[in-house]
Structures are given as C-alpha cells and as structure tokens.
Amino acid sequence: MASVMVGVIGGTGLGEALGALGGGEAVEVETPFGRPSGPITVTEVGGVPVALLSRHGDGHLHSPSRVPYRANIFALKKLGVTHILASGAVGSLREELAPRTLVIPDQIIDKTFRRPGTFYDELAVHVELASPFCTQLRNVLVRGGTGLSTRVHQGGTYVCMEGPQFSTRAESELHRAWGASLIGMTAMPEAKLAREAEICYALVALPTDYDCWRQYPAHLDQAKVIEEILGNVKVATQNALELIRRTIPQVPALAEKGCPCQSALALAIWSDRAKLPEDVKEKLRPLLGKYL
C-alpha cells in the first residue's frame, strides 16, 4: 500500500477545535513561500498519520485575504501529506442547504483577486481544474456522512469571494442567479494550490447562515443574529469534526486505486525543464522533484 498522510485544514470554528482529533507533536515547517499559518500538529487518527493545520492561525489572526495559502500547502506537501480534508464556514445560497448541515461541494467560482494563486511564478505550469475537488475524496466524505446526526449534502458550487466584507444583497442575488450554492472566502487558491502540489483535496463546507439574500425576521436585532450564527458555527463544527474523524480511516484505501490528482503535473509543465535555473529547481523540488 502506498504511503498515505491526511492533512486536515481547519477553518472558522474547526481551526480552534482541531485538538479534539487527537494530541500530537507540533512542528514548524519552513517554506520558500514564508511560514505557514502556524505550527502543524502531526498525530494519528484511526492509525492513519495526520497533519493538523489551523488556516487562520492561533487566535484567528489571518483574514481570508492574508492566509499564507502557498506556505500552508507547501508545508503539508513537505511533510508528506497526500490527501487534504479542509473545512470552512460558508453562507448558504439555497433554502435546502440549512445552517448546521454540511455540504461537500464539487465546483468553485473564483472571485478572488488579491492572493498569489500559483507556486510556479518562474515557469509555465497549467494544471487541469475542471473538477477542482478530488472526486474520490469527496465520495469518501459523502459515505462517511451515512448515519451522521446531521444531513450531508452532496455537490454544489462554492463562490469564493475576496472579502473580508460580506456580500451586498445584489451580489448575493447574483450568485444565486449563477446557480451557486455556497458563498465563502477561503477555498481559493487553496484548492488550486493543492492540485498544483498533486494532493487530493476535498472540502467540508459548514453553512452558518443564509447570506443576505434571505432576510432575518424584523424582530431579531443584530446581536441576536450574531448569537444565532455563532451557535450554528459551534454545532456545525462538531458535525464536521465527526465527519472528518469517520473519513480519515477510509482514506488509505484510495491509495491502492490511484488518482489523477496525484499526477496532475505530468502534462502540465510547459516550460523547457533543461532551461530552469538550478535555484528554481531546488526551491520547487518538493513539488516537481519527480519531473526534474
């Protein structure tokens, strides 16, 4: 069986709750793209090696636009991570995707514009991204949701906006008109970078509210609205933790099947490798080593 290590990237709520998956050793990882959001905790869940990373860092100090996405994914790759189970709080754009349920999206619309979106600034690399989330890993998550205390929705389009402000009502209605299901701020460029690193990547989305297309009752003041959303985050976080805990032991079986995500660079490197400077080769060796 091929070596498997699961990276778990915790978003809002889950980032602070990752310790519930198990204790372990906190390691600092240096990368050519700076430091990750924080130390990465290496542990085991169900006998499977796991690397835990809080996307927003200790104390939630990194806003979505300032998360060091490249450093995070590079560090996980350097540690040997082969599959990433990520989480993130989102707004629901569909009545049926109720707060406190979970969604395993299958598509993304990327509206970000302030974030470095590739590892390969010094060469031309064009990975396929028609299916931005790993189909095999998504299916394992969906199966892991069988019997869970909340509903796990399969599929849906996630709009990744820049933030940090939330949507205007006109934007929210536009995203609904596009057929999107969820609005969030962190799935991109994370999913793109995972594909560039040949890591299988899937997302557990945690709806906390209905964005602003669906107005709250007039009798609820802002404080009550925030209190309700925070309560939804807490419940959804526990649901997501249980789903991820169930899913991790099922991941090693995927290694026997192989996955296109893990050979995404095979036809994607358009630059003449013989002309790449040695310092660039050395910098990117954890990503490109088998192709150099």
Side-chain angles (χ1 to χ4, degrees):
M1 181 181 293
S3 177
V4 169
M5 186 176 198
V6 178
V8 178
I9 300 178
T12 301
L14 197 69
E16 287 70 37
L18 285 179
L21 286 175
E25 177 190 2
V27 297
E28 300 279 356
V29 183
E30 297 292 336
T31 86
F33 303 97
R35 298 175 67 84
S37 295
I40 298 173
T41 301
V42 178
T43 184
E44 282 193 2
V45 175
V48 179
V50 174
L52 310 175
L53 175 64
S54 176
R55 182 186 291 117
H56 297 284
D58 185 29
H60 203 110
L61 299 182
H62 295 296
S63 77
S65 298
R66 302 290 290 180
V67 169
Y69 295 99
R70 292 195 295 184
N72 286 350
I73 300 298
F74 194 99
L76 292 174
K77 180 71 173 184
K78 196 172 175 182
L79 286 174
V81 165
T82 56
H83 299 74
I84 291 175
L85 299 173
S87 75
V90 296
S92 171
L93 298 172
R94 299 291 154 195
E95 190 78 38
E96 65 272 18
L97 303 181
R100 303 190 177 200
T101 63
L102 302 175
V103 184
I104 314 301
D106 61 345
Q107 282 296 326
I108 307 181
I109 297 172
D110 188 1
K111 290 181 62 184
T112 64
F113 55 87
R114 295 173 55 194
R115 314 170 188 191
T118 181
F119 292 114
Y120 305 117
D121 294 323
E122 298 96 342
L123 64 159
V125 175
H126 305 285
V127 295
E128 289 285 347
L129 207 68
S131 298
F133 301 105
C134 174
T135 301
Q136 292 186 11
L137 201 51
R138 286 184 57 252
N139 289 339
V140 173
L141 278 167
V142 171
R143 290 198 299 271
T146 303
L148 201 66
S149 60
T150 191
R151 183 173 178 185
V152 179
H153 299 271
Q154 181 174 9
T157 296
Y158 176 126
V159 177
C160 191
M161 63 184 293
E162 185 62 55
Q165 302 82 6
F166 294 117
S167 305
T168 66
R169 188 167 294 115
E171 289 172 328
S172 194
E173 293 291 1
L174 175 64
H175 298 150
R176 280 169 49 78
W178 286 352
S181 304
L182 307 165
I183 179 74
M185 300 182 189
T186 55
M188 284 295 191
E190 199 169 84
K192 288 180 177 177
L193 294 168
R195 184 63 51 83
E196 286 194 342
E198 298 190 325
I199 299 174
C200 296
Y201 176 97
L203 177 72
V204 181
L206 288 61
T208 61
D209 63 273
Y210 281 107
D211 201 38
C212 60
W213 65 271
R214 186 176 185 266
Q215 296 187 52
Y216 277 86
H219 68 273
L220 282 182
D221 62 24
Q222 192 65 21
K224 289 292 185 183
V225 170
I226 297 299
E227 182 180 338
E228 180 178 322
I229 291 174
L230 291 177
N232 292 340
V233 169
K234 183 176 181 180
V235 173
T237 293
Q238 294 306 310
N239 291 334
L241 275 171
E242 179 58 25
L243 176 58
I244 290 171
R245 185 183 288 109
R246 291 181 177 200
T247 299
I248 289 172
Q250 310 306 316
V251 173
L254 298 179
E256 298 178 352
K257 302 177 182 179
C259 180
C261 298
Q262 298 187 334
S263 57
L265 296 176
L267 301 176
I269 304 169
W270 290 26
S271 297
D272 184 345
R273 279 161 255 190
K275 294 185 181 299
L276 291 179
E278 288 302 319
D279 62 328
V280 173
K281 291 181 181 180
E282 192 56 35
K283 167 186 171 182
L284 299 175
R285 194 166 298 280
L287 306 177
L288 295 177
K290 66 182 180 182
Y291 300 105
L292 298 177

